[in-house]
């Protein structure tokens, strides 16, 4: 029983990085922009966050720096794809390659650096409960923030006017434009917000989850987050569950290995992507599903007045 | 859009700028440029042309990870620095980091040979075939391959007996574990890694016969977040002393965070987890690297050889043992070290059984290198099965 509580705790923690990044990507995909640069943004943000904590000793500042780094890179990407109408996929790939190279190059001075000790976080009273305490109430605040973020996004996208406008820009930019909404500016805002969240996820990874900086440390989590938005058919609550699922699969595999059950790790590494392809195949076969979930103008450039 | 417009030109410029920046800083070469302040200024009088310096031996190193990994590649780079220090201006060394174990490796190593390097070190198992190929095309270049098993007239292999360090770590772990369960984060189930897990367990059983070892495989040499997750899982499963055969300090840092104990691997990792750190099983490549360079310089270098160095040659040691490790355990480590040095002690000496109960070494039988090179079973005390791994 005890070990299952700990497994659940580890799963929630492992899913947090994926959840925050994927929710960010969800925001810009809802506005009709695919940003394949997630991995690069997360790497640069991981470095920015880590370096900031090394110099200031403040985790909060590290998160801010990570979010800012992600937002900045996303803004460059946004200007390229929204105003210069470059191909979204190629530009996103370039951003991922750039982010990987640049973070490696700029981070050489930080590879041996150490972060200060931190106390174990625990919610008073609740954290002391047997079983439930260690499983649910002794996590880093960011774990709860990810859940709040998903719920907040559900409200924003489906219950608020601004969310409706954002979705309309992703569904039919021409109509939104005809109604007088600044489509390109809204898309840029969505892209920057997505970048900031990817950045926050990257900073959490390097500051809290694995408190060190080494080049390439995001190790594919940006791509998993991208796969996750599709897998979850662009629904925030499903993204959150999917993140725990993908995070949990890894933890479960280690747990099973420790218990003597053999599962090929390569097979599990492949799972998120296979699941995504399956979902894509499913929704492309069923027109009703696509209409409900996939932003209709996803990945398509928009020229006002054309 | 077929005609060239201002927009498409802008696009091309922006994308190529991104790509160019991403490529900056991929390769580096030592010695560095002179420090600012020593740079010759335009006003300085032109010096007369110096006499041609004697030909320097150009040496190149291909690394699988970043020099800053604090582990495997870091240890190799310390070996390279030792060469610089030992031979000074007789040699000129350079290195390329993060060379993947793929077709890229061949390209990088071929470049090194084409650029006038006469001695090339490849520092990971996966460079075996690329090095063999390039060695065939560049007969005038000497190649040194770490941890491989294929040689040629101008290619030889070298390796370190990391399992000796694992055994010494095991002696400490067996003494310090309160739960009686040890955990190992394994990378890829090749004989080298399985041998380390077994040697760690044998060391622990030498002080506590009841010790059990649990293994979790991450399937990579280097993935710090995954190493963290694996270590967390082992600790959650009851292990209170961890070892790893991966290349980062993540396992030690996880133990530090969760109040358990762990070891440094390949390099001294004390700084990454001062409270958790029990000791570091380090590899010192300097003795071999200086020997290889000396032979290349004086013309006695020969291909086709296979070196496998350990405590005896000064290539492996257990350093920075924690203050709270009892004196008698420290003394035992000293005995093991001395015994390995003079050959009076063997780690792999029967009777040894695998974890299915089959006897793999009979009483007083000592394993030879061929046996050690093909270890694909767990010794008694290690839980689970070796994943249907590769065989050397």
């Amino acid at each position: 029983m005890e070990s299952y509580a700990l497994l659940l705790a580890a799963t929630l923690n492992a899913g947090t990085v994926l959840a925050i990044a994927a929710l960010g990507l969800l925001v810009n995909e809802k506005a009709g922009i695919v940003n394949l640069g997630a991995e690069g943004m997360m790497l640069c943000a991981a470095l920015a966050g880590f370096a900031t904590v090394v110099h200031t000793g403040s985790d909060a500042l590290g998160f801010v720096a990570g979010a800012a780094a992600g937002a900045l890179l996303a803004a460059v990407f946004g200007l390229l794809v929204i105003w210069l109408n470059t191909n979204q996929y190629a530009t996103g790939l370039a951003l991922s390659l750039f982010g990987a190279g640049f973070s490696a190059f700029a981070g050489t001075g930080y590879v041996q650096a150490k972060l200060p000790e931190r106390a174990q976080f625990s919610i008073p009273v609740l954290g002391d409960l047997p079983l439930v305490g260690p499983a649910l109430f002794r996590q880093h605040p960011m774990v709860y923030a990810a859940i709040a973020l998903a719920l907040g996004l559900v409200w924003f996208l489906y219950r608020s006017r601004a969310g409706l406008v954002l979705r309309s820009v992703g569904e039919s930019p021409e109509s939104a434009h005809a109604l007088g909404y600044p489509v390109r500016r809204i898309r840029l805002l969505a892209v920057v917000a997505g970048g900031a969240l990817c950045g926050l996820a990257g900073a959490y990874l390097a500051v809290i989850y694995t408190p060190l900086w080494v080049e390439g440390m995001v190790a594919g989590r940006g791509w998993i987050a991208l796969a996750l938005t599709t897998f979850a058919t662009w629904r925030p609550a499903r993204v959150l569950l999917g993140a725990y699922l993908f995070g949990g699969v890894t933890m479960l595999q280690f747990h099973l290995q420790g218990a003597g059950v053999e599962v090929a790790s390569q097979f599990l590494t492949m799972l998120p992507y296979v699941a995504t392809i399956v979902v894509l195949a499913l929704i492309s076969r069923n027109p009703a599903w696509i209409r409900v979930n996939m932003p209709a103008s996803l990945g398509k450039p928009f020229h006002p007045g054309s | 859009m077929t005609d060239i417009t201002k927009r498409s030109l802008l696009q091309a410029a922006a994308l190529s700028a991104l790509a160019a920046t991403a490529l900056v800083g991929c390769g580096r070469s030592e010695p560095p440029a002179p420090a600012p302040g020593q740079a010759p200024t335009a006003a300085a009088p032109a010096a007369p042309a110096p006499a041609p310096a004697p030909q320097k031996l150009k040496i190149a190193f291909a690394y699988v990870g970043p020099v800053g990994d604090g582990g495997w590649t870091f240890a190799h780079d310390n070996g390279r620095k030792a060469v610089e220090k030992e031979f000074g201006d007789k040699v000129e060394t350079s290195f390329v980091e993060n060379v993947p174990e793929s077709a890229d490796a061949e390209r990088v190593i071929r470049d090194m040979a084409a650029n006038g390097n006469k001695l090339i070190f490849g520092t990971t198992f996966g460079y075996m075939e690329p090095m063999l190929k390039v060695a065939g095309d560049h007969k005038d270049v000497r190649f040194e391959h770490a941890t491989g098993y294929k040689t040629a007239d101008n290619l030889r292999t070298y390796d370190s007996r990391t399992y000796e360090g694992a055994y010494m770590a095991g002696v400490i772990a067996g003494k310090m574990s309160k739960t009686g369960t040890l955990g190992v984060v394994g990378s890829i189930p090749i004989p080298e890694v399985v041998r380390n897990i077994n040697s760690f367990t044998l060391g622990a059983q030498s002080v506590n016969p009841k010790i059990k070892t649990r293994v979790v495989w991450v399937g990579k040499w280097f993935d710090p977040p995954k190493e963290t997750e694996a270590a967390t899982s082992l600790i959650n499963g009851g292990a209170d002393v961890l070892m790893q055969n991966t290349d980062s300090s993540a396992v030690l840092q996880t133990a530090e965070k969760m109040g358990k104990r762990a070891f440094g691997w390949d390099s001294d990792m004390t700084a990454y987890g001062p409270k958790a750190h029990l000791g570091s099983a380090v590899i010192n490549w300097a003795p071999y690297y200086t020997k290889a360079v000396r032979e290349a310089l004086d013309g006695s270098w020969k291909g086709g050889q296979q070196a496998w160095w350990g405590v005896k040659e000064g290539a492996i040691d257990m350093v920075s043992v924690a203050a709270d490790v009892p004196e008698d355990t420290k003394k035992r480590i000293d005995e093991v070290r001395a015994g390995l040095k003079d050959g009076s002690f063997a780690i792999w000496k029967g009777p040894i059984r695998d974890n299915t109960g089959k006897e793999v070494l009979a009483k007083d039988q000592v394993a030879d290198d061929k046996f050690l090179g093909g270890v694909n079973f767990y010794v008694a005390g290690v839980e689970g099965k070796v994943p249907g791994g590769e065989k050397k």
Side-chain angles (χ1 to χ4, degrees):
Chain A
M1 230 17 247
E2 183 70 25
S3 74
Y4 286 106
L6 292 167
L7 179 65
L8 180 61
T11 296
L12 290 176
N13 201 5
T16 296
V17 172
L18 294 175
I20 297 174
L23 289 168
L25 294 167
L26 176 88
V27 172
N28 56 238
E29 289 187 18
K30 276 289 184 195
I33 305 281
V34 179
N35 186 351
L36 296 185
E39 182 85 3
M41 293 191 295
M42 285 172 76
L43 276 164
C44 288
L47 174 62
F50 183 81
T52 305
V53 179
V54 166
H55 292 303
T56 65
S58 155
D59 291 1
L61 279 178
F63 295 144
V64 171
L72 185 72
L73 287 170
V76 174
F77 166 86
L79 292 174
L80 286 169
V81 301
I82 300 167
W83 266 272
L84 298 176
N85 281 324
T86 59
N87 179 302
Q88 292 182 18
Y89 299 95
T91 313
L93 280 174
L95 177 57
S96 263
L97 291 169
F98 166 77
F102 180 77
S103 60
F105 168 66
T108 46
Y110 291 98
V111 274
Q112 303 285 358
K114 280 185 71 241
L115 296 185
E117 280 275 332
R118 297 181 185 74
Q120 175 77 30
F121 184 84
S122 176
I123 299 177
V125 186
L126 290 177
D128 302 329
L129 294 173
L131 281 184
V132 195
L136 300 175
F137 301 119
R138 288 187 202 167
Q139 302 277 13
H140 187 272
M142 194 63 82
V143 174
Y144 309 115
I147 298 169
L149 177 68
L151 298 175
L153 271 181
V154 171
W155 174 84
F156 170 79
L157 287 173
Y158 301 101
R159 293 277 177 277
S160 80
R161 190 177 167 74
L164 180 68
V165 173
L166 179 81
R167 281 186 297 137
S168 69
V169 164
E171 295 293 345
S172 173
E174 291 78 12
S175 319
H177 178 71
L179 289 169
Y181 288 110
V183 170
R184 293 196 294 195
R185 247 181 292 164
I186 292 167
R187 283 190 160 187
L188 184 67
L189 269 177
V191 166
V192 169
L197 286 172
C198 281
L200 186 63
Y204 178 73
L205 187 73
V207 172
I208 303 293
Y209 195 72
T210 312
L212 51 86
W213 164 255
V214 280
E215 67 185 78
M217 71 172 297
V218 176
R221 280 160 189 77
W223 299 109
I224 294 184
L226 269 165
L228 195 55
T229 49
T230 308
F231 174 77
T233 57
W234 296 272
R235 291 301 191 95
R238 287 186 204 160
V239 165
L240 188 67
L241 290 177
Y244 294 143
L245 186 70
F246 288 164
V249 160
T250 313
M251 291 312 299
L252 184 68
Q253 176 226 338
F254 290 144
H255 184 79
L256 290 175
Q257 272 195 31
V261 184
E262 212 185 308
V263 193
S265 65
Q266 293 81 354
F267 173 76
L268 288 161
T269 312
M270 181 182 80
L271 269 186
Y273 306 107
V274 174
T276 303
I277 292 169
V278 170
V279 169
L280 278 174
L282 282 175
I283 61 178
S284 57
R285 283 184 48 141
N286 184 339
W289 266 41
I290 299 182
R291 266 206 299 279
V292 174
N293 295 310
M294 188 167 172
S297 297
L298 191 61
K300 295 182 187 137
F302 167 71
H303 310 255
S306 63
Chain B
M1 248 173 44
T2 46
D3 55 330
I4 295 178
T5 61
K6 189 170 138 197
R7 171 171 287 153
S8 63
L9 276 174
L10 272 172
Q11 281 180 16
L15 285 176
S16 52
L18 274 179
T21 333
L23 291 172
V24 167
C26 286
R28 265 181 295 155
S29 153
E30 301 240 333
Q38 303 172 330
T41 54
Q55 191 71 50
K56 279 185 181 184
L57 175 68
K58 281 183 78 181
I59 310 167
F61 292 76
Y63 298 146
V64 69
V67 167
D69 65 0
W72 175 256
T73 293
F74 182 67
H76 280 286
D77 202 55
N78 284 341
R80 182 190 64 83
K81 286 182 178 143
V83 165
E84 293 249 297
K85 210 168 132 200
E86 174 88 17
F87 301 101
D89 53 11
K90 291 202 204 68
V91 297
E92 182 186 324
T93 71
S94 62
F95 61 86
V96 180
E97 303 171 282
N98 290 318
V99 180
E101 296 175 298
S102 64
D104 280 351
E106 189 186 327
R107 194 176 48 78
V108 170
I109 292 160
R110 200 173 284 285
D111 268 359
M112 288 173 166
N115 290 338
N117 288 294
K118 293 296 172 211
L119 179 61
I120 295 175
F121 291 89
T123 61
T124 187
F125 180 76
Y127 299 167
M128 186 158 67
E129 299 302 333
M131 289 188 85
L132 209 56
K133 240 169 149 171
V134 180
D137 300 341
H138 291 269
K139 291 292 185 198
D140 60 327
V141 179
R142 308 170 193 89
F143 293 85
E144 295 263 6
H145 178 217
T147 73
Y149 56 86
K150 291 186 180 173
T151 60
D153 290 347
N154 59 335
L155 167 69
R156 67 186 188 185
T157 65
Y158 62 100
D159 198 351
S160 62
R161 297 182 184 268
T162 45
Y163 66 92
E164 294 178 345
Y167 181 89
M168 291 192 271
V171 172
I172 298 172
K175 185 76 193 175
M176 301 301 284
S177 172
K178 296 185 183 75
T179 61
T181 304
L182 310 180
V184 182
V185 176
S187 48
I188 296 164
I190 54 174
E192 176 195 342
V193 180
V194 177
R195 192 169 58 231
N196 287 334
I197 294 165
N198 287 332
S199 303
F200 179 64
T201 308
L202 292 173
Q205 287 169 340
S206 74
V207 292
N208 176 0
K210 288 205 186 72
I211 279 284
K212 291 263 175 287
T213 304
R214 281 188 161 186
V215 186
V216 164
W217 296 97
V218 292
K220 287 199 182 160
W221 289 106
F222 185 79
D223 183 344
K226 222 170 181 175
E227 292 169 49
T228 300
E229 286 159 6
T232 305
S233 171
L234 284 165
I235 290 171
N236 288 347
D240 64 344
V241 180
L242 304 184
M243 190 187 80
Q244 71 282 5
N245 203 153
T246 47
D247 292 352
S248 89
S249 55
V251 173
L252 177 63
Q253 288 185 298
T254 309
E256 180 92 353
K257 198 157 74 178
M258 298 178 77
K260 303 291 186 248
R261 307 302 293 266
F263 293 91
W265 185 250
D266 295 339
S267 300
D268 189 336
M269 294 183 177
T270 314
Y272 293 103
K275 285 210 297 288
H277 186 263
L278 281 170
S280 279
V282 297
I283 309 176
N284 180 7
W285 297 102
Y288 185 81
Y289 281 2
T290 46
K291 167 183 173 275
V293 171
R294 186 169 297 114
E295 288 177 352
L297 285 167
D298 67 20
S300 62
W301 194 97
K302 278 197 190 57
Q305 302 172 336
Q306 299 199 285
W308 199 11
W309 285 16
V311 169
K312 192 170 168 202
E313 294 84 359
I316 293 287
D317 204 0
M318 168 58 61
V319 300
S320 307
V321 176
D324 62 335
V325 173
E327 272 317 305
D328 61 341
T329 308
K330 285 184 180 157
K331 215 168 112 238
R332 177 66 197 142
I333 297 288
D334 293 339
E335 284 165 13
V336 169
R337 196 184 285 121
L340 288 168
K341 263 208 168 71
D342 64 20
S344 62
F345 173 71
I347 292 169
W348 285 80
K349 186 176 168 193
I352 292 178
R353 294 180 178 282
D354 72 10
N355 66 358
T356 63
K358 197 172 116 233
E359 188 170 79
V360 287
L361 281 174
K363 190 167 167 30
D364 292 332
Q365 188 190 0
V366 175
D368 58 4
D369 284 357
K370 187 169 173 306
F371 175 95
L372 290 173
V375 173
N376 58 356
F377 56 85
Y378 287 147
V379 295
V382 184
E383 295 177 353
K385 289 203 303 278
V386 178
E390 315 150 23
K391 287 193 184 160
K392 274 200 182 179

